[in-house]
Amino acid sequence: MTQYRIAVIAGDGIGPEVIREGKKVLEAVSERYNFELMWIEYPHGGEHYLRTGELMTEETLKELERCDAIYFGSIGDPRVKPGILEQGILLALRFYFDQYVNLRPVKLLEGVQSPLADKHAHDIDFLVVRENTEDFYVGMGGRVGGKAQAQQQKQQKQQKQEQELIRKLYQIKFRLDIETDADELAYQIGIITREGCERVMRFAFELARKTGRNRVASVDKANVLTEGYGLWREVFNEVAEHYPDIQTEFNFVDAMCMWMVKNPEWYQVVVAPNMFGDIITDLGAMIQGGLGLAPGANINPEPGGVSMFEPIHGSAPKYRGRDVANPVAAIWAGAMLLEDIGEKQASDSVLKAIEAVMREGKVKTRDLGGDARTSEVGDAIVNAIKLNA
Ligand code: NAD
Ligand code: IPM
Ligand code: MN
């Protein structure tokens, strides 16, 4: 029997509850399709950090390299300053494993009500390919002046140079004469590389072909952030030339938000830089019925690449431990994991079961207007898998 090693980082808040249901469903389907999942659990998250001071370590990353996939819940803890866990755990994983594709399907399932009037299942069904390793996520930036400077005495020399640079840039741009001591400013730099664009865009075009879609829409803000997204646009045009069978278009991100609400049926495959991809996929989640329904895959498509599957929602701390969170996003992410490790039939079976439960509409969590518990949704999906046989 084929065995797979699946690393599990359930994380914080509702993460452990939704991952518990995901594992339950994946276990059930593995029995049907005759393979074995070996779960290797990791404690990383807010609690572990507060107890041990540890985020993602080199040693853990090396261990994870030997897994077939990573199944991730969510991280984020109100007791920890924003960014520490997000960067130190989630982004560390995406970057270390070079998971440069963040694939996020936006699909309204039958039986789920979209908040958009008169939009039904066949109207909302597209794939967002979010670049996952560049842009404003690279962590380059700093603060100059104010409290931050006092706290960072050690870095003063570097900050002086940065300050000079910023002063010059501001002077050039706005003709301002900034008084060094009086100012406090922060800056964040986004990096876009040709290689980074090319590989994720190729993935998007190939995905369009593979899934029988014939349009790829690119998202940017090349009218303002002209350097980075100027390059993004240039490379998109070049890559598109290799796919004459696929129609293309550019969308400014602000207009994209408007079109996603007005005409979601227009979209087939969307390719977006990291930050805009993050933002438009929460919007995408909402038009497909809510964050509790939206899955994501962080993919390294190269041979031997380790990929990671997670719901796109966060730790929703207010629902932690209450057994009310919707586990469908996590279960659907589990289905994406199965497809990635080569168990396509099992993956399809999970998707069919999710759809059957939603269509029937009897077992739904609160976010979908029902009163079912997290665990009851998991059970219903397991039953549907057994019935599907
Ligand atoms: P969130 O996604 O955790 O929750 C926003 C709201 O969406 C919730 O309050 C809830 O109303 C709803 N929601 C989300 N998931 C749900 C589910 N499964 N079932 C029912 N309702 C659900 O976003 P946030 O409140 O902005 O962030 C909370 C924490 O999570 C922060 O620390 C943030 O950094 C982190 N975060 C982590 C990830 C991740 O681990 N991938 C993603 C997003 C946010
Ligand atoms: C997501 C989250 C993350 C992101 C955060 C928690 C780092 O919002 O997965 O969508 O911005 O990518
Ligand atoms: Mn997000």
Side-chain angles (χ1 to χ4, degrees), residues 94 104 130 137 277-279 281-282 291 312-314:
R94 290 180 185 164
R104 297 183 158 185
R130 167 188 177 193
Y137 278 68
D278 176 44
I279 297 167
T281 50
D282 262 33
L291 275 169
I312 81 163
H313 64 69

Side-chain angles (χ1 to χ4, degrees), residues 108-139:
L108 177 62
L109 302 178
E110 276 175 42
V112 176
Q113 176 81 48
S114 172
L116 302 182
D118 301 327
K119 298 294 177 196
H120 306 286
H122 57 271
D123 295 319
I124 302 180
D125 183 5
F126 58 94
L127 298 165
V128 177
V129 176
R130 167 188 177 193
E131 200 291 319
N132 214 24
T133 57
E134 301 197 334
D135 204 9
F136 292 106
Y137 278 68
V138 295

Side-chain angles (χ1 to χ4, degrees), residues 36 38 42 60 65 73 78 81 117 151 166 174 193 236-237 239 265 286 298 304 378:
E36 198 179 328
M38 286 172 52
Y42 289 88
T60 308
E65 258 169 23
K81 191 175 155 211
Q151 282 162 5
I166 299 274
F174 302 114
T193 69
F236 184 80
N237 275 329
V239 172
E265 60 279 4
M286 215 51 227
N298 303 274

Side-chain angles (χ1 to χ4, degrees), residues 103 127 129 202-212 269:
L103 176 59
L127 298 165
V129 176
R202 278 190 183 278
F203 183 93
F205 279 96
E206 292 293 336
L207 184 68
R209 274 189 183 162
K210 205 174 92 184
T211 59
V269 173

Side-chain angles (χ1 to χ4, degrees), residues 38-194:
M38 286 172 52
W39 306 106
I40 305 154
E41 307 273 346
Y42 289 88
H44 298 79
E47 190 60 46
H48 182 71
Y49 171 70
L50 289 170
R51 224 181 39 238
T52 65
E54 188 182 279
L55 295 162
M56 203 28 77
T57 63
E58 189 84 23
E59 198 192 333
T60 308
L61 290 168
K62 289 267 176 292
E63 270 179 45
L64 293 173
E65 258 169 23
R66 297 198 297 273
C67 292
D68 294 294
I70 304 169
Y71 195 28
F72 191 94
S74 54
I75 38 96
D77 185 317
R79 295 169 298 175
V80 181
K81 191 175 155 211
I84 293 184
L85 302 169
E86 291 84 345
Q87 290 180 325
I89 300 176
L90 181 58
L91 296 184
L93 288 162
R94 290 180 185 164
F95 281 57
Y96 181 82
F97 290 109
D98 202 17
Q99 293 160 345
Y100 61 84
V101 172
N102 193 336
L103 176 59
R104 297 183 158 185
V106 179
K107 183 174 160 66
L108 177 62
L109 302 178
E110 276 175 42
V112 176
Q113 176 81 48
S114 172
L116 302 182
D118 301 327
K119 298 294 177 196
H120 306 286
H122 57 271
D123 295 319
I124 302 180
D125 183 5
F126 58 94
L127 298 165
V128 177
V129 176
R130 167 188 177 193
E131 200 291 319
N132 214 24
T133 57
E134 301 197 334
D135 204 9
F136 292 106
Y137 278 68
V138 295
M140 287 177 77
R143 304 255 311 239
V144 182
K147 272 194 217 145
Q149 190 157 19
Q151 282 162 5
Q152 295 170 8
Q153 294 283 327
K154 275 187 257 155
Q155 298 165 9
Q156 248 179 11
K157 192 169 162 222
Q158 187 200 343
Q159 287 194 334
K160 275 241 144 51
Q161 289 166 355
E162 286 172 350
Q163 197 168 15
E164 257 326 291
L165 175 71
I166 299 274
R167 260 162 57 82
K168 276 193 197 129
L169 289 174
Y170 264 70
Q171 280 167 354
I172 293 165
K173 195 128 184 120
F174 302 114
R175 301 182 192 290
L176 295 177
D177 188 12
I178 296 172
E179 280 299 322
T180 313
D181 294 337
D183 286 318
E184 178 172 5
L185 63 88
Y187 61 99
Q188 197 90 41
I189 295 175
I191 301 287
I192 302 285
T193 69
R194 170 171 288 278

